[in-house]
Amino acid sequence: MSLLSLKGVEAFYGASQALFGVDLTVEDGEVVALMGRNGMGKTTTISSILGMVKPRAGTIHFAGKEIAGLPSHRIAQQGLGLVPEGRRCFPNLTVEENLLVAARGSDWTLARVTGLFPRLGERLGQYANTLSGGEQQMLAIGRALMTNPRLLILDEATEGLAPVIRQDIWAALRKLKVAGQSILVVDKTLSELLPVADRCFVLEKGVTVFEGKPEALTAELQDRYLGV
Amino acid sequence: MMAGLSREKTANIVLALLLLGVPLAAVAAGEPFYVTLATRIVILALAAIGLNIALGLGGLVSFGHAAFFGLGGYVAGILATHAFNGETVLFGLPSTTSMPVIWLVAVVLCGLVALPIGAISLRTSGVYFIMITLAFAQMIYYFAVSWPDYGGEDGLSLYVRNTFPGVNTAQPLPYFLVCLGVLAAAVCLFWLLRGSRFGAALEAARQNTTRLSAVGIAPFNIKLVAFVISAMVTGLAGALFADLNRFVSPSMASWQMSGELIVLIILGGKGRLFGPIAGAIVYVLFEFALGGITERWQFFLGLMLLGVVLFARGGLLGLVAGRARHD
């Protein structure tokens, strides 16, 4: 049984349909890449998983339980940790407060997060809105980890960051993968994403059009589905 | 940043010393009236600290907190009136003139009333939240106005001040010290709440509810708890206020009173530990100093409020101490 499984998910923003039938699975311990051009439904898919958009059709199961229709906080409590698009920390809380407010479970502690991101450890007392963009992204990842998620979901975690910071974040993701963390990741940097991913899903116009190993995503397919 | 924090601490210590020192000096100088004035400051500050939990920490602009202030007042008035007449209250429950018992009843009742009001109001936000809390408060206000058993519009007088074990509450200074002790406890409560994980979650809920949900915390529950605690503290202040004046009237639950509490917080600095205290000191001194000269003293208060809102968003304490995280 898959850790996360979406079948035929359809979602709307008001009257306009954004997802027309998304299928997606993530197995335990797997890193799965969710890809597609802008506007194809990646973020909507993630919002549907987290209950921020209520799917109108299809099923979403997490750890064997139907989660579609539950309120967001209940879904998160099942063990889903989201790193939202755009480095969304709580700006008026300190780094430490940002992390501790999310704390649940015992595997991930403040010390373990600052071990993964030493820069956060140096800035525990600083307000989040005084951090650089890269540090805020690390904080957003750290905050999601503090909930001890069975599945970590990253939405465009490296977008708009300096290359050197991106390297740090990819390195952290590789460490998490080695530690057996299940991850669903949305990103545009294929050169980093494909080597770390176990499987890929590609969305086009709100429908899953490709599922398979990264190697199976040939240059031709990349051009067709992901080329600009 | 650190300099700003320590300046705020210094300002807080100065305010605390003033609040304790001035009444003691007034008694020594044989001017007990000033003790009563200081007691008024302390009680209004306590009510505003209650509101500051919801408004300052949670960003919940309740325009109906006077309802809890009034409820607390009526608890003191009703229990004491029946006790004085040697009667029981509703359903044969015993009446009392003991302040600790009255406080407990006031706090519990306000919590019980705030729970459904909060649960309904918190389904809205922004201007709708303001209006719905106002609507609930007006319901309680008109209920008090139209209840002739307890004076209706004319209010209810207490024959003597209620009792506190070991303290002669009829004297201004002992009663002031009792109120000051309660205020100190409320300041501690506010400080503990703000520094706790609950406080961080409340601040997070104020900033972004979706993000808080995404880490598995229900923003609604956090806000509801804050609203209820907030109402309980304001209700306690109401009970003390009734005893100070030995009088309760529906005006304690009026929308003007709700507005006054908000003004105290904005004046002093919202979300700040001593903000309501600074606000209450300025408010009562204005009322006293200018109120003797002109009936239109609130015009000048309005000017000052305008100045604070335009030029000192962190309130008077913000002027002294610099920006806080809430500004």
Side-chain angles (χ1 to χ4, degrees), chain A residues 77 89 91-92 100 103-104, chain B residues 197 203 207 211 215-217 325:
Chain A
Q77 284 166 9
C89 306
N92 289 354
L100 289 183
R104 186 165 348 98
Chain B
R197 185 164 169 238
E203 173 71 19
Q207 290 171 29
R211 272 173 235 174
V215 297
I217 298 173
R325 65 162 93 178

Side-chain angles (χ1 to χ4, degrees), chain B residues 45-58:
Chain B
L46 177 66
I49 282 179
L51 179 58
N52 206 19
I53 294 171
L55 195 157
L57 299 184

Side-chain angles (χ1 to χ4, degrees), chain B residues 76-293:
Chain B
I78 291 170
L79 286 178
T81 304
H82 284 298
F84 194 81
N85 297 335
E87 302 159 348
T88 55
V89 198
L90 295 171
F91 317 119
L93 290 170
S95 52
T96 179
T97 58
S98 161
M99 277 187 199
V101 177
I102 288 170
W103 296 350
L104 186 68
V105 175
V107 165
V108 171
L109 181 73
C110 284
L112 289 176
V113 173
L115 198 62
I117 291 182
I120 295 169
S121 307
L122 285 168
R123 299 193 180 279
T124 66
S125 62
V127 80
Y128 298 101
F129 180 80
I130 296 175
M131 286 299 125
I132 200 164
T133 49
L134 171 64
F136 276 116
Q138 288 298 89
M139 283 165 60
I140 290 173
Y141 170 78
Y142 283 111
F143 185 74
V145 165
S146 60
W147 201 5
D149 291 1
Y150 297 115
E153 212 164 353
D154 297 328
L156 183 63
S157 287
L158 283 70
Y159 299 101
V160 287
R161 208 168 265 164
N162 290 307
T163 56
F164 190 90
V167 179
N168 179 6
T169 55
Q171 290 293 319
L173 188 64
Y175 186 60
F176 167 79
L177 292 174
V178 167
C179 294
L180 192 66
V182 176
L183 179 70
V187 168
C188 288
L189 174 72
F190 185 89
W191 182 77
L192 286 172
L193 279 178
R194 193 175 61 174
S196 68
R197 185 164 169 238
F198 173 81
L202 185 58
E203 173 71 19
R206 187 173 75 89
Q207 290 171 29
N208 193 312
T209 50
T210 317
R211 272 173 235 174
L212 190 62
S213 304
V215 297
I217 298 173
F220 179 84
N221 298 351
I222 296 280
K223 289 179 179 177
L224 184 59
V225 171
F227 187 81
V228 169
I229 296 174
S230 163
M232 290 164 115
V233 174
T234 302
L236 177 57
L240 290 173
F241 199 69
D243 257 320
L244 172 67
N245 303 320
R246 278 178 287 130
F247 179 65
V248 194
S249 78
S251 72
M252 275 178 74
S254 66
W255 65 269
Q256 290 94 334
M257 187 70 220
S258 292
E260 256 175 53
L261 293 179
I262 295 176
V263 166
L264 297 185
I265 291 175
I266 305 294
L267 266 185
K270 87 180 153 66
R272 289 174 193 269
L273 189 60
F274 273 61
I277 296 175
I281 289 176
V282 171
Y283 186 90
V284 172
L285 289 184
F286 253 67
E287 181 185 48
F288 170 68
L290 290 174
I293 303 167

